């Protein structure tokens, strides 16, 4: 290892298992990262990217993980032979890590502020008052609106993108020498992605920080990486500098990844279709309380005066930065958050309906959430997950009929019904999202809210899921409200698009026209950034 290199992996092989039943998952992984350099590690889910990243800090589960071969050297320190005490001095301080699943990684019992100040206190000895000031400063740096309010929020009170930004702030707050970023911009829209990437570059220039950047988004790789390493089935199949890899990819798998961007156009629909959902003057404001008596002192204006008409069989896309009100809009339409204004479903006003009166509409209006790992109950088998809604809405059905409907839903999403007795953790990320789609589909809904359903998937799986959604839309005449930060995905699926910023719709129209001739400055910025 030269003085310039800060991290070197030499022939690292990792396996999982107990006793003699050890299965090797990564094979002879070797790469180096120099100070101030960024290495992008790319590949499909299950290729070994995250296992390699966690191995660097020995974060793999004890007892079942085994370092079979090779060495990991960080700035002259032999990581694999370090004591736990030595590792505690490196983790979080000298090597920061942004984990892939912010909802799982953040402690749900503690406010965001406590989790940020805690890492400062442990590694830098900063006092509480000063630590809070630094925490607010970092929340502002990573683009969180109302940082002085959000510092007192719990993780579940933040959007998916905001939780991801809190994770980024936690990893960077101690200004590490090496940052391991495992899908750090997955849940972020393109404008915030650009801000985060610029922030990371600025910190690299300021601190000489090295970075191992794990992602499935090749457009980000083009913008940030100096070198690229491609993994498949636990092996590095190709390494090269960024320009060479994209201009002349040598391995067939690399070529497949590069040509897996979202493709195609929305399914053919009739403009004369009847209106399914009509929204007028929708307003969702969350009160902010303060003082001894917790009086309302202000409001977070999540959605203000939204209007749209969604026709049967059509797809409407909502794009905008995290915290702009996209997910809140979806939750309001499903009557899962309180709102003002009119929400009509097939000319029937939903506002004011009691829980019992709303129940018949619940089976017609389903949702697929952003994070399949958090959305699926890990204690329930796939059959129980998919069939749960049938027991709620169609309790009169017998077991044989329910089982048949579960199998049919799994076949609709290209999953083997024979796997229905397995648990969610036994499936890949893309398969878990298919399970979530099957859960929504089994009730034969008319409308599905898709909240960032492809954001956590690698490009090849993302393309497969988009093709699946299109085929299901044609087969069952489904109506989609599609929330996404990826404009290329929206262009592939949605007939109409609304652009939201700060709770307001700043522009809307036919997707093709909006992309070709954006009128609002913010829309132009999004389109420009998505074209990288």
């Amino acid at each position: 290892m030269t003085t310039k290199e800060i991290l070197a992996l030499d022939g690292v092989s990792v396996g999982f298992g107990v006793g003699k039943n050890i299965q090797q998952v990564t094979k002879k992984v070797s790469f180096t990262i120099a100070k101030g350099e960024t290495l992008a590690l790319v590949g499909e889910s299950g290729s070994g990217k995250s296992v390699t990243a966690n191995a660097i800090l020995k974060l793999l589960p004890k007892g079942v993980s085994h370092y079979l071969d090779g060495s990991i050297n960080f700035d002259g320190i032999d990581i694999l032979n370090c004591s736990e005490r030595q590792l505690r001095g490196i983790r979080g301080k000298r090597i920061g890590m942004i984990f892939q699943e912010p909802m799982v990684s953040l402690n749900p019992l503690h406010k965001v502020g406590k989790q940020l100040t805690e890492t400062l206190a442990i590694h830098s000895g900063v006092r509480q008052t000063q630590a809070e000031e630094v925490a607010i400063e970092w929340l502002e740096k990573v683009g969180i609106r109302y940082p002085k309010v959000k510092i007192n929020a719990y993780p579940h009170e933040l959007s998916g993108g905001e939780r991801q930004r809190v994770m980024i702030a936690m990893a960077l707050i101690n200004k590490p020498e090496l940052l391991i970023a495992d899908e750090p911009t997955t849940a972020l829209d393109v404008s915030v992605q650009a801000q985060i990437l610029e922030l990371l570059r600025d910190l690299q220039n300021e601190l000489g920080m090295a970075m191992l950047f794990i992602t499935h988004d090749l457009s980000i790789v083009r913008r940030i990486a100096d070198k690229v390493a491609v993994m498949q089935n636990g092996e590095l199949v190709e390494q090269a500098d960024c320009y060479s890899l994209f201009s002349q990819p040598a391995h067939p798998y690399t070529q497949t990844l590069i040509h897996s961007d979202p493709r195609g156009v929305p399914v053919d629909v009739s403009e004369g279709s009847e209106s399914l959902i009509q929204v007028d003057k929708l307003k969702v404001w969350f009160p902010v309380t303060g003082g001894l008596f917790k009086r309302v002192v202000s409001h977070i204006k999540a959605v203000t005066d939204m209007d749209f008409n969604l026709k049967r069989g059509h797809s409407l896309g909502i794009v905008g930065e995290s915290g702009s009100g996209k997910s809140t809009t979806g939750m309001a339409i499903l009557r899962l958050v309180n709102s003002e204004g009119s929400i009509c479903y097939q000319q029937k006003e939903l506002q004011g309906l009691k829980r019992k009166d709303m129940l018949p509409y619940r089976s017609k209006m389903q949702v697929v959430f952003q994070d399949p790992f958090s959305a699926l109950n890990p204690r329930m088998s796939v059959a129980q997950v998919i069939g749960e809604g049938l027991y709620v809405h169609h309790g009169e059905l017998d077991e044989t009929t329910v089982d048949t409907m579960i199998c049919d839903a799994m076949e609709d999403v290209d999953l083997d019904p024979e796997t229905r007795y397995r648990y969610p953790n036994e499936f890949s990320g893309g398969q878990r999202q298919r399970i979530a789609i099957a859960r929504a589909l089994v009730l034969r809904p008319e409308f599905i809210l898709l909240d960032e359903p492809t954001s956590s998937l690698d490009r090849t799986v993302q393309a497969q899921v988009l093709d699946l959604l299109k085929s299901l839309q044609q087969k069952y005449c489904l109506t989609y409200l599609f929330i996404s930060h990826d404009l290329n995905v929206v262009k592939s699926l949605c007939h109409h698009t609304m652009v939201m910023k700060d709770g307001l719709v700043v522009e809307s129209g036919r997707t093709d026209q909006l992309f070709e001739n954006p009128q609002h400055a913010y829309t132009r910025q999004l389109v420009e950034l998505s074209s990288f």
Side-chain angles (χ1 to χ4, degrees):
M1 186 167 177
T2 67
T3 54
K4 187 181 178 183
E5 292 169 355
I6 193 166
L7 179 71
L9 273 69
D10 185 14
V12 176
S13 299
V14 175
F16 290 96
V18 179
K20 295 181 179 180
N21 299 318
I22 297 174
Q23 182 178 0
Q24 189 171 344
V25 293
T26 67
K27 306 164 189 175
K28 302 287 184 182
V29 175
S30 300
F31 59 76
T32 62
I33 306 177
K35 291 183 178 180
E37 184 178 60
T38 299
L39 171 69
L41 191 60
V42 301
E44 291 181 292
S45 299
S47 62
K49 305 188 303 295
S50 294
V51 170
T52 300
N54 283 290
I56 293 169
L57 284 173
K58 293 186 72 174
L59 292 175
L60 297 173
K62 293 181 180 179
V64 295
S65 60
H66 306 274
Y67 299 89
L68 305 175
D69 198 9
S71 64
I72 301 173
N73 198 307
F74 170 71
D75 198 23
I77 301 169
D78 183 356
I79 294 290
L80 296 184
N81 291 311
C82 271
S83 66
E84 277 298 315
R85 184 175 180 181
Q86 286 176 299
L87 284 172
R88 281 196 296 269
I90 295 172
R91 294 172 182 151
K93 175 63 177 174
R94 300 189 65 191
I95 301 179
M97 187 157 185
I98 303 168
F99 294 96
Q100 186 173 357
E101 304 280 359
M103 194 60 190
V104 177
S105 302
L106 293 173
N107 191 325
L109 301 178
H110 295 306
K111 294 180 178 179
V112 165
K114 181 176 181 180
Q115 298 186 60
L116 284 167
T117 56
E118 185 177 44
T119 185
L120 272 174
I122 290 171
H123 294 293
S124 301
V126 179
R127 292 183 179 180
Q128 181 66 24
T129 305
Q130 186 184 353
E132 286 186 6
E133 293 175 0
V134 175
I136 291 171
E137 179 186 338
W138 272 96
L139 289 179
E140 196 167 10
K141 271 188 177 183
V142 297
I144 286 186
R145 297 165 62 205
Y146 313 114
K148 292 182 180 178
V149 174
K150 297 293 175 69
I151 198 170
N152 292 314
Y154 289 95
H156 72 272
E157 297 177 297
L158 304 178
S159 71
E162 287 173 324
R163 288 194 291 267
Q164 191 73 292
R165 278 179 275 179
V166 170
M167 286 295 302
I168 292 169
M170 285 179 66
L172 295 177
I173 201 165
N174 282 299
K175 299 182 178 180
E177 298 162 55
L178 170 67
L179 177 66
I180 301 173
D182 191 355
E183 302 279 8
T185 58
T186 292
L188 306 181
D189 57 89
V190 289
S191 59
V192 178
Q193 272 186 4
Q195 295 168 20
I196 295 299
L197 295 178
E198 185 178 354
L199 172 64
L200 293 175
R201 280 196 295 265
D202 289 344
L203 280 168
Q204 280 189 296
N205 294 332
E206 178 186 341
L207 307 173
M209 183 179 70
M211 184 157 49
L212 175 61
F213 199 98
I214 299 171
T215 184
H216 62 261
D217 191 335
L218 297 182
S219 64
I220 292 177
V221 174
R222 283 188 177 99
R223 281 190 275 173
I224 199 168
D226 300 303
K227 298 189 301 187
V228 185
V230 182
M231 288 195 78
Q232 182 186 28
N233 299 328
E235 294 184 80
L236 285 180
V237 296
E238 186 169 357
Q239 286 192 67
D241 66 86
C242 191
Y243 176 80
S244 298
L245 185 126
F246 281 99
S247 59
Q248 293 180 317
H251 197 277
Y253 178 67
T254 309
Q255 296 167 6
T256 300
L257 288 179
I258 290 173
H259 296 102
S260 294
D261 286 335
R263 58 189 182 274
V265 295
V267 300
D268 290 333
V269 292
S270 169
E271 289 299 327
S273 301
E274 64 172 327
S275 173
L276 185 70
I277 296 177
Q278 189 165 3
V279 171
D280 186 43
K281 301 297 181 186
L282 183 68
K283 174 180 169 182
V284 185
W285 287 13
F286 296 108
V288 177
T289 57
L292 182 63
F293 298 103
K294 300 293 182 183
R295 292 191 177 96
V296 176
V297 295
S298 65
H299 288 84
I300 294 177
K301 301 177 181 181
V303 181
T304 302
D305 292 339
M306 172 179 279
D307 304 314
F308 68 83
N309 181 27
L310 180 54
K311 296 180 179 181
R312 184 182 294 276
H314 287 229
S315 299
L316 172 64
I318 304 182
V319 300
E321 60 193 38
S322 297
S324 62
K326 306 188 300 297
S327 295
T328 302
T329 298
M331 294 299 103
I333 292 167
L334 295 178
R335 294 284 316 281
L336 296 177
V337 297
N338 293 327
S339 63
E340 298 177 20
S342 174
I343 304 170
C344 287
Y345 187 89
Q346 290 182 316
Q347 311 304 319
K348 172 67 176 179
E349 179 61 61
L350 300 185
Q351 293 281 38
L353 290 183
K354 296 180 180 179
R355 183 179 180 277
K356 184 179 179 181
D357 298 326
M358 188 68 197
L359 197 60
Y361 294 96
R362 295 287 184 209
S363 62
K364 298 178 182 179
M365 306 169 71
Q366 290 294 297
V367 59
V368 176
F369 293 102
Q370 178 177 350
D371 181 5
F373 189 85
S374 299
L376 303 179
N377 190 328
R379 295 171 180 257
M380 295 171 68
S381 69
V382 168
Q384 291 172 320
V385 167
I386 296 174
E388 186 178 22
L390 292 173
Y391 290 109
V392 172
H393 295 283
H394 304 290
E396 73 282 358
L397 296 176
D398 60 76
E399 293 289 336
T400 303
T401 304
V402 168
D403 189 59
T404 300
M405 294 178 74
I406 291 169
C407 292
D408 289 344
M410 292 186 72
E411 288 177 348
D412 275 336
V413 298
D414 297 327
L415 287 174
D416 183 0
E418 294 298 318
T419 64
R420 64 189 182 277
Y421 299 115
R422 296 182 186 174
Y423 289 83
N425 67 307
E426 299 179 69
F427 294 83
S428 69
Q431 289 172 321
R432 284 198 292 264
Q433 198 60 286
R434 288 173 185 267
I435 293 168
I437 295 170
R439 176 175 61 181
L441 201 63
V442 74
L443 289 167
R444 293 292 179 259
E446 299 171 326
F447 166 77
I448 299 181
L449 168 64
L450 299 160
D451 191 356
E452 301 271 16
T454 62
S455 66
S456 61
L457 308 178
D458 56 75
R459 283 296 192 192
T460 52
V461 178
Q462 190 178 81
Q464 294 166 14
V465 171
L466 282 175
D467 289 342
L468 170 66
L469 290 172
K470 290 181 187 180
S471 67
L472 291 173
Q473 186 172 33
Q474 283 185 309
K475 184 176 181 180
Y476 296 114
C477 193
L478 293 172
T479 305
Y480 293 148
L481 182 62
F482 189 86
I483 296 169
S484 180
H485 64 265
D486 190 331
L487 270 67
N488 292 317
V489 171
V490 171
K491 189 176 182 180
S492 171
L493 184 73
C494 298
H495 304 93
H496 292 79
T497 300
M498 294 192 303
V499 181
M500 291 192 72
K501 182 172 175 59
D502 300 333
L504 297 170
V505 176
V506 298
E507 188 169 354
S508 63
R510 284 178 55 93
T511 301
D512 52 356
Q513 294 174 358
L514 188 140
F515 274 75
E516 290 170 9
N517 188 26
Q519 300 298 308
H520 194 276
Y522 179 64
T523 310
R524 288 197 295 271
Q525 179 191 13
L526 292 181
V527 171
E528 182 181 337
L529 289 169
S530 69
S531 64
F532 271 95

